[in-house]
């Protein structure tokens, strides 16, 4: 290298006995070149550092992605979020896997969470009967949808608690009913808003 570059390497220790050196102070020691083996632990150490840095960056990426996803969900309207959750449920194909009860539990939770976000009813913590009672008592809840909602939740309960056998056609019908309820309820809200304006 020009100019010469300074660096350092790890080597084995060179030892000299004091007695032999002091016998003749003018002695000149001529030693043959010694091959210094490369210390592979240096490479291992730097690879370890690189792995730690990569893992930290990946973790930061996951956290940012999670935060972005949470923010995106928070910015959705109750309708948009419910339809998003419905699409995720459909993509799981629980009915094809034989997880009928799990499908109906999640399907009813999608509808209940939609109602909770829109009307403030703590639907997921209530039984069907308790929820219906709260909906009836709530002035802002459209009373014309009470029978439809009651029928939907009651039919889902029959399957969730293994009182009725479910088929793929039943599950598809229940999914359509849930989606229609969300769409119709949202459209009523938009219509009433437009009338107020």
């Amino acid at each position: 290298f020009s100019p010469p570059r300074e660096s350092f390497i790890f080597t084995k220790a060179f030892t000299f006995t004091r007695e032999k050196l002091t016998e003749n102070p003018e002695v000149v020691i001529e030693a043959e070149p010694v091959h210094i083996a490369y210390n592979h632990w240096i490479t291992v150490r730097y690879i370890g550092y690189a792995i730690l840095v990569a893992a930290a960056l990946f973790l930061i990426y996951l956290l940012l992605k999670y935060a972005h996803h949470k923010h995106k969900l928070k910015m959705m309207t109750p309708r948009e979020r419910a339809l998003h959750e419905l699409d995720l449920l459909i993509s799981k194909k629980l009915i094809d896997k034989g997880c009928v009860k799990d499908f109906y539990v999640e399907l009813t939770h999608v509808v209940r969470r939609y109602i909770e976000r829109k009307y403030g009813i703590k639907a997921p913590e209530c039984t069907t009967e308790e929820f219906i009672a709260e909906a009836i008592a709530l002035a802002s809840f459209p009373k014309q949808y009470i029978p439809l909602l009651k029928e939907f939740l009651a039919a889902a309960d029959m399957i969730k608690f293994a009182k009725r056998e479910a088929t793929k056609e039943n599950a598809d019908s229940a999914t359509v009913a849930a989606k229609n309820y969300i769409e119709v309820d949202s459209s009523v809200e938009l219509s009433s808003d437009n009338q107020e304006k």
Side-chain angles (χ1 to χ4, degrees):
F1 294 96
S2 180
R5 188 178 67 182
E6 293 184 3
S7 185
F8 69 91
I9 56 175
F10 296 97
T11 68
K12 295 180 180 179
F14 289 93
T15 58
F16 300 92
T17 58
R18 183 177 179 184
E19 291 77 10
K20 291 183 179 180
L21 289 175
T22 55
E23 289 178 1
N24 186 355
E26 297 180 0
V27 67
V28 177
I29 300 175
E30 294 183 359
E32 294 294 326
V34 177
H35 173 71
I36 301 172
Y38 179 73
N39 190 340
H40 293 284
W41 284 109
I42 299 175
T43 302
V44 172
R45 185 172 62 184
Y46 285 120
I47 290 175
Y49 291 155
I51 291 173
L52 288 176
V53 170
L57 291 175
F58 183 67
L59 181 61
I60 292 171
Y61 165 75
L62 291 179
L63 290 174
L64 290 175
K65 185 178 179 181
Y66 176 77
H68 174 72
H69 177 69
K70 282 292 185 181
H71 177 71
K72 184 178 178 182
L73 290 178
K74 190 175 180 180
M75 297 302 293
M76 288 181 177
T77 64
R79 171 188 171 276
E80 290 171 341
R81 189 161 178 177
L83 295 179
H84 172 71
E85 291 175 352
L86 198 58
D87 288 339
L88 290 179
L89 175 58
I90 294 170
S91 69
K92 292 180 181 179
K93 299 183 178 180
L94 294 177
I95 298 297
D96 296 337
K97 298 175 183 176
C99 305
V100 177
K101 183 177 179 180
D102 293 337
F103 171 80
Y104 276 90
V105 168
E106 290 197 34
L107 181 64
T108 54
H109 281 179
V110 169
V111 176
R112 286 171 174 251
R113 283 192 295 265
Y114 163 77
I115 295 169
E116 178 183 6
R117 295 183 188 110
K118 183 176 178 183
Y119 298 105
I121 299 176
K122 298 298 180 183
E125 289 79 13
C126 298
T127 64
T128 298
E129 293 75 15
E130 292 170 340
F131 165 69
I132 295 298
E134 286 199 32
I136 293 173
L138 191 67
S140 60
F141 196 89
K143 300 302 183 288
Q144 66 268 32
Y145 298 135
I146 293 292
L148 180 63
L149 194 57
K150 191 173 183 179
E151 182 181 355
F152 167 76
L153 293 175
D157 285 346
M158 291 291 287
I159 295 170
K160 283 194 298 183
F161 300 115
K163 296 178 181 177
R164 181 186 299 170
E165 185 178 354
T167 63
K168 190 176 187 307
E169 290 72 22
N170 295 143
D172 290 341
S173 298
T175 303
V176 171
K179 187 173 182 178
N180 286 343
Y181 169 76
I182 294 167
E183 291 284 12
V184 170
D185 185 74
S186 299
S187 66
V188 168
E189 178 188 36
L190 290 174
S191 298
S192 61
D193 287 346
N194 288 336
Q195 287 176 1
E196 290 176 3
K197 292 179 182 179

